[in-house]
Amino acid sequence: MSVTEQPPAEGSRDTDAAQEALHDRIAADSLTTRRDYLRIVATVSGGLAVGGVAVASGILHRHGDGDGTPEPKKIADRILPGESLAFRYPGDEDRAIAVRMADGTLAGYSAVCTHLACAVLWRKERGSEGELYCPCHEGIFDARTGEVTAGPPPRGLPKVLLIEQLDGSVWAIGTARSGESLQEGLCRQQGDALRLCRGGAGAEGERSERT
Amino acid sequence: MTDSAFPQDPRAPRPADPPPAQPPSYHPGSAEPRLNRPVHERYPQIRPTSGYADPRVRHTGPGPGAGTEQEPERSSKLSARLALALTVLIGQLWALTIVVDEWMSGNTGTAWWGAGFLVLSFLVVLGLWALDPKDR
Ligand code: FES
């Protein structure tokens, strides 16, 4: 039963008056005019402009953004095929995931979904060779490239560069942003310190450095 | 009745008496006396100074259209400005997603271009707002 068609209350005139007042309020004309809407739209628009400038000047945290060059960090003594490992690199708040696929490929990614920042999980039984899966909105990332294969995430996962020592221990040595290749990311962070970066990749590294 | 194509719910309420042979006689206004009160009693927010009854509106004099909107263009211009502003707003929402995307993938230059676009769009909306005639 809607508010406006209640049966007349017996006895009390009090509730009657209250109902009357309520009905009057509901039935009254809305006082928001098109001019008011225009003002509201202008305010929201200004808010969006401020938000855009804030984003461009860097209020959002990017994986691996921090002070200086990240130090290499040992994350595991070994990772067996089909297994994954959650770790933090380079900062304490940079959640990351290391995956060893069945064929031995070792890959590291940020574990923060690019959609709404849920935790990304390794699901080895999904897909043909396992995939990185975000349970929040069924986002799926390719475990080999980090690119989005399904679901709402707008970008691929940022990467973490992992290397394996001869004794099987796994070290994280650098990061790369969503669109970057591992080499670009590494050269951006290490500068000219690596021989790898001094050649053709130098220009690339410079481009990222400048931005 | 029971074997009609649309059997009735036996528990459904039925009209108490058969419908009258004649349609009910016409009378102006509502059957509910509450709704027949004068407008200013039903809508206290409508004041003599709001809308069409604004005394500052130029006189129409007698004739067709008397007492209605003097310049329909005013109203449609306002609607058009609102529509344009909303369109720009949608463009801004889109641009903000692009800015976030570009910034997160490290293309700060592109992100700044997007921020510039957002600010320009805001100026356009401000302009649409400021176009308001001041007379009413
Ligand atoms: S947060 Fe990962 S898909 Fe939405």
Side-chain angles (χ1 to χ4, degrees):
Chain A
M1 187 183 297
S2 80
V3 191
T4 45
E5 24 178 322
Q6 310 229 341
E10 263 127 69
S12 69
R13 293 203 104 326
D14 242 22
T15 49
D16 232 28
Q19 253 170 31
E20 194 94 346
L22 176 66
H23 176 249
D24 211 44
R25 213 188 64 211
I26 294 171
D29 249 10
S30 158
L31 286 179
T32 316
T33 64
R34 281 173 297 179
R35 286 207 173 81
D36 293 331
Y37 277 122
L38 201 51
R39 203 188 56 228
I40 293 166
V41 166
T43 314
V44 172
S45 166
L48 287 178
V50 169
V53 171
V55 168
S57 55
I59 51 165
L60 296 181
H61 177 77
R62 281 185 294 212
H63 188 101
D65 273 3
D67 19 63
T69 317
E71 295 297 315
K73 178 176 164 190
K74 181 175 177 182
I75 59 167
D77 286 334
R78 70 180 54 251
I79 303 179
L80 295 176
E83 284 190 355
S84 75
L85 174 80
F87 60 103
R88 311 233 160 183
Y89 182 83
D92 263 352
E93 71 285 5
D94 291 317
R95 287 178 286 147
I97 185 168
V99 174
R100 189 187 287 282
M101 304 177 62
D103 65 359
T105 314
L106 191 60
Y109 297 104
S110 156
V112 181
C113 183
T114 52
H115 180 221
L116 293 177
C118 284
V120 174
L121 308 171
W122 165 242
R123 285 273 176 275
K124 74 164 171 265
E125 70 287 348
R126 293 177 64 109
S128 55
E129 42 179 11
E131 55 200 15
L132 292 161
Y133 172 71
C134 175
C136 288
H137 314 98
E138 309 253 326
I140 297 172
F141 301 90
D142 188 309
R144 271 183 207 283
T145 61
E147 291 307 316
V148 183
T149 50
R155 300 175 297 279
L157 289 172
K159 304 175 187 69
V160 176
L161 180 50
L162 299 177
I163 54 170
E164 190 177 14
Q165 303 282 48
L166 284 178
D167 62 357
S169 65
V170 176
W171 292 67
I173 60 168
T175 59
R177 294 180 186 139
S178 286
E180 280 177 330
S181 72
L182 280 171
Q183 188 184 349
E184 283 167 10
L186 194 65
C187 292
R188 171 168 54 77
Q189 286 167 338
Q190 307 285 346
D192 270 350
L194 296 178
R195 194 157 17 100
L196 174 73
C197 306
R198 267 174 239 145
E204 290 280 76
E206 216 167 85
R207 178 192 67 89
S208 313
E209 194 75 314
R210 185 185 39 127
T211 52
Chain B
M1 225 7 181
T2 42
D3 42 37
S4 82
F6 303 102
Q8 282 192 331
D9 182 351
R11 274 165 306 159
R14 278 157 214 252
D17 34 31
Q22 295 288 317
S25 65
Y26 172 78
H27 56 88
S30 171
E32 270 191 80
R34 172 174 78 76
L35 296 179
N36 290 330
R37 286 176 300 156
V39 172
H40 64 262
E41 247 177 64
R42 280 188 290 148
Y43 299 105
Q45 279 93 344
I46 298 183
R47 310 267 154 70
T49 49
S50 51
Y52 301 150
D54 193 320
R56 287 162 292 179
V57 171
R58 275 176 264 125
H59 297 294
T60 37
T68 62
E69 180 68 273
Q70 298 305 296
E71 293 172 74
E73 300 90 351
R74 290 175 70 93
S75 172
S76 50
K77 270 186 228 159
L78 179 54
S79 301
R81 274 159 50 212
L82 186 55
L84 285 175
L86 283 169
T87 313
V88 173
L89 196 69
I90 291 167
Q92 279 189 305
L93 285 171
W94 166 79
L96 189 59
T97 64
I98 301 292
V99 168
V100 171
D101 237 32
E102 291 299 326
W103 159 259
M104 289 308 263
S105 26
N107 304 327
T108 315
T110 319
W112 273 114
W113 277 109
F117 175 81
L118 280 164
V119 171
L120 274 184
S121 307
F122 173 50
L123 292 182
V124 169
V125 172
L126 266 191
L128 285 169
W129 183 33
L131 234 57
D132 223 9
K134 292 283 174 287
D135 54 349
R136 216 192 270 184

